[in-house]
Amino acid sequence: MSDDLYRVKGMPEDEKDDHIVRAVALGGHVKAVAIRSKAIVSEAQKIHNTSSVVTAALGRFLTGSLLIAENMKNEDDTQTTIIRADGPIGGMTCVCDSKGHVRGYPLENDVPSTYHKPGKLNVGAAVGKGTLTVIRDLGLREPFTGMVELMSGEIAEDFTYYLASSEQTPSVVALGVSMDNSGVLEAGGMMIQLMPGATEEDIDYIEKRANGGFPDITFLMEEGFSPAKILDLFLGDPGIEFTDAYPVSYHCPCSKERMSEGIAALGKAELEKLSEDPDGIETQCHFCNRKYRFGRDEIKALLNN
Ligand SMILES: [Zn+2]
């Protein structure tokens, strides 16, 4: 196959830039989505100053959240994913919009790393036991909320289980973050989904590919494979059809105005108390750590609204 096949419509000019690519295969019975998220995970590591195991956990969580957010269509759709668990990280929250933006934070950023074996961070131990919640706000009257128990806390398995049990979509999800002392080397993932109409044969085929020792995503990326090439390698279907691609990035839309809405929501009694402090208050955004200062007069103004 020529490399032109991998120049998918919507892809960033430099395929090394973070993006998602989508394809269909096996006669339309399989949807396949892959992502490179190296810059996103590096940015999250920088913002939250995370230790290795937290970088891996949060990086996988941001990457997986973007993968399952790929089907949001409307301008204002958002998806919030939340892990609450009893491991030392405590939990993570991540928000995606329909424009490929993601932001997230861990409850604890500095957790000592343990390993399954040399070089294999034990993310499951750092996350622990708990739940994965997905809230999709698609502009309908009620947001859709699904919650599952964590399977292993290794994140990819947890998303797989969520998709199968909460959204009735049998899927294969793989996620990876690799790093060394200098920072994040590669990050990415893929999601393979069986569409309605998939035959027993299709299911067998995908299961065999998934269980056949397919290499780690980050290994392939380090070897120069783009997300599109990884999908092609995994599916092994000459009829694969790449439908589109789009850039993804870490982006926090916070502003002083949005913050003031949060403060106003504290209620009258709390605002009155805050307005007595001559220094005013300073709030910090969980997602990007930007700080916002509100003087006494500004708090009083919120009281009068
Ligand atoms: Zn922010």
Side-chain angles (χ1 to χ4, degrees):
M1 277 185 197
S2 88
D3 268 7
D4 285 352
L5 175 77
Y6 302 121
R7 275 306 312 173
V8 181
K9 178 174 62 107
M11 242 174 78
E13 202 158 310
D14 184 348
E15 66 167 39
K16 291 275 180 196
D17 289 345
D18 285 0
H19 65 280
I20 275 180
V21 60
R22 300 191 278 202
V24 290
L26 304 187
H29 293 166
V30 165
K31 179 164 105 177
V33 187
I35 177 173
R36 185 197 299 280
S37 54
K38 177 186 173 177
I40 288 169
V41 179
S42 303
E43 179 74 8
Q45 181 191 37
K46 229 177 9 199
I47 290 171
H48 301 297
N49 192 22
T50 44
S51 64
S52 298
V53 77
V54 183
T55 305
L58 181 62
R60 290 183 198 176
F61 195 46
L62 292 163
T63 305
S65 295
L66 276 168
L67 278 177
I68 70 161
E70 58 81 30
N71 59 0
M72 291 198 294
K73 291 182 184 74
N74 306 310
E75 174 95 10
D76 296 327
D77 289 356
T78 61
Q79 172 195 280
T80 305
T81 42
I82 302 163
I83 284 179
R84 288 285 170 267
D86 64 4
I89 293 178
M92 297 180 281
T93 298
C94 176
V95 180
C96 298
D97 67 16
S98 62
K99 300 167 200 81
H101 298 141
V102 66
R103 61 192 191 273
Y105 64 91
L107 291 183
E108 286 298 331
N109 66 329
D110 189 11
V111 169
S113 300
T114 60
Y115 296 84
H116 289 296
K117 58 180 188 194
K120 267 272 186 235
L121 281 163
N122 192 342
V123 171
V127 172
K129 290 187 176 61
T131 55
L132 165 64
T133 305
V134 178
I135 304 160
R136 293 184 198 269
D137 193 342
L138 308 176
L140 305 170
R141 208 138 40 97
E142 292 282 328
F144 165 85
T145 303
M147 186 173 86
V148 293
E149 299 279 318
L150 294 177
M151 293 304 282
S152 64
E154 293 279 338
I155 315 298
E157 261 184 90
D158 305 309
F159 276 119
T160 303
Y161 179 62
Y162 166 79
L163 289 167
S165 73
S166 210
E167 302 199 355
Q168 289 79 47
T169 310
S171 312
V172 174
V173 179
L175 302 168
V177 174
S178 65
M179 63 199 113
D180 67 7
N181 293 335
S182 68
V184 176
L185 296 175
E186 274 304 347
M190 67 170 183
M191 175 175 75
I192 312 294
Q193 298 193 312
L194 291 159
M195 296 285 99
T199 61
E200 283 301 319
E201 232 182 338
D202 298 326
I203 297 168
D204 256 20
Y205 181 81
I206 293 299
E207 275 179 357
K208 282 210 183 88
R209 308 286 298 181
N211 299 326
F214 192 72
D216 284 347
I217 299 278
T218 48
F219 170 79
L220 292 172
M221 286 181 166
E222 282 163 28
E223 293 294 307
F225 281 72
S226 66
K229 241 176 180 163
I230 289 172
L231 287 184
D232 192 25
L233 183 72
F234 179 85
L235 290 162
D237 172 14
I240 188 170
E241 195 187 313
F242 291 102
T243 47
D244 65 341
Y246 56 93
V248 289
S249 59
Y250 196 102
H251 171 73
C252 185
C254 70
S255 62
K256 188 154 184 182
E257 200 184 334
R258 278 182 184 227
M259 278 290 170
S260 72
E261 287 165 15
I263 294 172
L266 291 173
K268 198 166 187 282
E270 188 66 20
L271 282 173
E272 259 163 15
K273 216 161 75 197
L274 291 172
S275 70
E276 283 161 22
D277 190 335
D279 292 335
I281 52 166
E282 190 177 75
T283 61
Q284 189 168 23
C285 173
H286 289 308
F287 293 100
C288 68
N289 287 344
R290 256 190 298 243
K291 288 178 179 156
Y292 295 93
R293 162 154 291 288
F294 289 87
R296 222 176 154 172
D297 293 342
E298 288 173 296
I299 299 168
K300 280 191 180 142
L302 290 175
L303 256 174
N304 297 328
N305 275 342

